Amino acid sequence: SGLLGTGMNVHLKENSFLRSVFNLDDLEAEESQKAKGNRFERQLANKAAFKLRTQALKKTRANKVTRSQQED
């Protein structure tokens, strides 16, 4: 585990040499399709999070402008 570090799962999944060393079955097409679906879902979640973060930052900036105008 220390040799491969935190990316061990990725190595075991994608590295054909390690898969052969540990006698792991070949990856099936279903898993690659599932990964694509997960990537799409991840992108949607990231877009939603980005939108929420942008809205929150917009509010924060507007509050800063309002406070600085009140202090003047």
Side-chain angles (χ1 to χ4, degrees), residues 9-45:
N9 288 336
V10 174
H11 286 287
L12 289 174
K13 203 173 205 180
E14 298 177 2
N15 189 325
S16 59
F17 175 72
L18 287 179
R19 292 189 67 75
S20 66
V21 168
F22 292 111
N23 295 324
L24 299 173
D25 296 333
D26 290 333
L27 293 176
E28 296 181 12
E30 292 178 23
E31 288 187 28
S32 65
Q33 289 296 328
K34 185 178 174 184
K36 286 183 182 180
N38 288 342
R39 181 176 15 162
F40 179 70
E41 291 170 0
R42 209 169 42 240
Q43 286 175 343
L44 288 177

Side-chain angles (χ1 to χ4, degrees), residues 12 44 51 54 65:
L12 289 174
L44 288 177
K51 184 175 183 177
T54 301
V65 169

